[in-house]
Amino acid sequence: AFEDMEGNVVFDTVQMDGMELAADFKEPFWQIENPFRDVSPTRLIRYTVDIQNKKLAIGNDQPKVLTTRLPEFPSIPRDISTRRHRYIYPLVARKKVNVNPKTSGLGGPVAAVAKIDSEDTTNNQYFSFEPYEFPGEAILVPKAGKTVSLPSEEDACYMLVLVTNGKDLTTDVAIFDVEGDQAFENGPILRFPLPVFTPHLLHGSFAEGVTFEFGES
């Protein structure tokens, strides 16, 4: 979230019309024919709130839908948290889907990454992994010598994701160059395997300079 030039609060959120996670585990999750049958599809939406008048700000595209490709876990560079930003990096579905937000059963696993342009969504960029590969939440790392808080350098970043291979039970690190109009869709500039399998990770949090020492129990 950030404050715009008019004093409004702008925030982005992943939104769905129903919160049913279909958590009926009478049988193993991977043996369920359609585990997403009761899951509503998601959209990434930008809201602008008029704080003074306590309502949504007036505008033709308010609230603004940024993508309907079943987004989850949007990320931005830490250096622009709470500052005005144009680009957002969520996980999304592998393919474009026609979403009716009122219909359940259209949810699904995230198997692609995206660079969302909040100013012009026709410039959104996507990269899909294999059907059996699933990325984790993205981490954005500013390039050396770049200042991402400057609008002209906001996307001067590398994006790191862990990619879980559900078929071979392996995990790769994929690194993307997200700067510019086409670099993202060209795919990872570097991809290498981890020495051990790391299960699919979600909801990660990181704090600079914080480490833990675990003694023997």
Side-chain angles (χ1 to χ4, degrees):
F2 60 90
E3 184 180 21
D4 67 13
M5 298 298 292
E6 288 74 40
N8 301 314
V9 171
V10 180
F11 69 93
D12 307 316
T13 183
V14 173
Q15 182 172 308
M16 60 169 52
D17 284 12
M19 191 61 180
E20 175 56 64
L21 298 181
D24 182 4
F25 298 119
K26 294 180 181 179
E27 55 183 319
F29 182 82
W30 56 87
Q31 293 181 4
I32 301 174
E33 181 176 356
N34 180 14
F36 298 95
R37 62 184 179 271
D38 297 321
V39 179
S40 297
T42 58
R43 295 100 69 203
L44 181 61
I45 298 180
R46 171 161 288 192
Y47 287 91
T48 302
V49 181
D50 182 341
I51 297 298
Q52 182 175 357
N53 295 305
K54 299 181 180 180
K55 63 180 183 180
L56 291 179
I58 297 175
N60 294 330
D61 58 353
Q62 174 67 260
K64 185 176 185 179
V65 178
L66 303 179
T67 182
T68 60
R69 195 161 156 172
L70 309 183
E72 294 283 359
F73 312 113
S75 298
I76 59 173
R78 184 181 58 184
D79 292 354
I80 57 174
S81 178
T82 71
R83 299 184 180 184
R84 184 180 182 88
H85 56 271
R86 175 175 179 175
Y87 300 107
I88 309 157
Y89 304 86
L91 308 181
V92 293
R94 287 191 70 249
K95 299 179 179 179
K96 182 179 179 180
V97 290
N98 294 319
V99 172
N100 178 352
K102 302 296 184 182
T103 303
S104 63
L106 295 177
V110 289
V113 288
K115 177 184 179 182
I116 302 301
D117 187 338
S118 65
E119 294 183 5
D120 184 357
T121 57
T122 63
N123 291 330
N124 288 354
Q125 299 179 51
Y126 301 92
F127 178 83
S128 297
F129 295 95
E130 297 297 331
Y132 47 82
E133 294 182 323
F134 306 97
E137 292 177 79
I139 298 174
L140 282 301
V141 180
K143 293 181 177 179
K146 299 291 186 177
T147 304
V148 295
S149 59
L150 298 176
S152 61
E153 298 183 0
E154 182 188 327
D155 66 346
C157 294
Y158 296 108
M159 184 180 76
L160 286 72
V161 293
L162 293 181
V163 182
T164 299
N165 184 318
K167 182 175 68 173
D168 299 335
L169 297 183
T170 57
T171 303
D172 288 357
V173 177
I175 302 176
F176 292 76
D177 183 346
V178 304
E179 186 176 11
D181 294 334
Q182 300 298 327
F184 186 86
E185 292 186 332
N186 290 334
I189 58 172
L190 179 64
R191 179 168 173 167
F192 59 91
L194 292 179
V196 295
F197 171 62
T198 301
H200 195 44
L201 299 176
L202 300 173
H203 299 295
S205 297
F206 302 89
E208 185 176 5
V210 176
T211 58
F212 297 92
E213 294 182 3
F214 299 95
E216 295 183 1
S217 58

